[in-house]
């Protein structure tokens, strides 16, 4: 009987030591928590990339919001714009430009996820827009997809100078639309 007690106590003691060692290893091995996200598409926070990846860039004045529609969980706003200066590509004097906006918009109350690099075109205000696809000719029945819109805060001459530099300077890193994983702190 004494032998059984010694074996039982020894087994419990060994299990306790193993559990304590595992707990110490787990606590010591922890690293700050991170979350991995896929980032796809070009970095629209860099004007050289915007210029390189866009078919056309211009300073425009928004004339009027002409159409809002929701389709398949997405929302779109079409705005008639007047071209003040074409910086890359050809632009008609007046054209329709469509952009993605948040669902549930109402006239004068549209929003986007990134208002710094994708501002909602509001009538009476000037913007630099970059067109990814569609026609910038202004021909009736055609339209362009603006994937970048930023208030033209430098004035016409300032925007011209800034964007001519961005257009003339190829991006240092690839301006492709590949996806890459980035780690960010969780929480």
């Amino acid at each position: 009987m004494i032998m059984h007690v010694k074996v039982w106590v020894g087994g419990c003691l060994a299990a306790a030591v193993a559990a304590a060692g595992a707990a110490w290893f787990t606590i010591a091995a922890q690293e700050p928590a991170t979350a991995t996200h896929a980032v796809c598409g070009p970095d629209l926070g860099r004007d050289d990339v915007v210029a390189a990846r866009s078919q056309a860039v211009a300073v425009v004045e928004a004339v009027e919001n002409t159409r809002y529609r929701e389709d398949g969980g997405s929302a779109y706003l079409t705005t008639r714009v007047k071209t003040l200066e074409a910086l890359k590509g050809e632009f008609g004097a007046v054209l329709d430009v469509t952009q993605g906006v948040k669902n549930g918009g109402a006239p004068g109350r549209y929003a986007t996820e990134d208002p710094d690099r994708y501002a909602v075109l509001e009538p009476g205000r000037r913007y630099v827009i970059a067109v990814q696809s569609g026609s910038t000719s202004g021909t009736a029945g055609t339209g362009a997809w603006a994937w970048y819109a930023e208030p033209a805060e430098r004035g016409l001459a300032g925007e011209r100078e800034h964007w001519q530099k961005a257009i003339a300077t190829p991006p240092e890193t690839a301006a492709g639309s590949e996806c890459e994983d980035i780690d960010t702190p969780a929480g």
Side-chain angles (χ1 to χ4, degrees):
M1 174 108 162
I2 293 182
M3 186 61 144
H4 289 306
V5 171
K6 286 182 182 180
V7 170
W8 186 79
V9 170
C12 288
L13 193 54
V17 168
W24 177 84
F25 178 77
T26 301
I27 291 170
Q30 284 184 347
E31 295 180 14
T34 59
T36 301
H37 303 281
V39 176
C40 300
D43 181 359
L44 297 182
R46 292 180 39 204
D47 293 343
D48 60 335
V49 173
V50 171
R53 295 286 299 179
S54 299
Q55 83 178 30
V57 179
V59 179
V60 300
E61 182 176 324
V63 176
E64 69 177 314
N65 297 129
T66 59
R67 183 175 182 212
Y68 170 82
R69 69 183 172 87
E70 293 185 22
D71 183 21
S74 298
Y76 306 95
L77 178 65
T78 300
T79 305
R80 183 160 295 122
V81 299
K82 176 172 65 174
T83 303
L84 302 177
E85 183 158 351
L87 303 169
K88 177 183 179 184
E90 300 292 324
F91 279 83
V94 176
L95 65 140
D96 289 335
V97 175
T98 301
Q99 65 181 145
V101 293
K102 289 183 179 179
N103 287 357
R109 299 181 187 265
Y110 303 106
T112 65
E113 296 295 330
D114 184 4
D116 293 333
R117 294 291 177 188
Y118 199 53
V120 175
L121 302 178
E122 296 177 25
R125 297 193 60 206
R126 292 180 175 191
Y127 299 89
V128 173
I129 63 166
V131 173
Q132 183 181 34
S133 61
S135 172
T136 56
S137 69
T139 305
T142 65
W145 176 259
W147 70 329
Y148 174 92
E150 154 182 283
E153 296 175 343
R154 298 175 187 96
L156 197 54
E159 294 296 355
R160 179 186 318 112
E161 181 180 331
H162 174 81
W163 285 95
Q164 283 175 343
K165 262 188 226 172
I167 291 165
T169 308
E172 290 180 22
T173 57
S177 60
E178 307 79 31
C179 294
E180 65 179 81
D181 290 339
I182 58 167
D183 292 326
T184 57

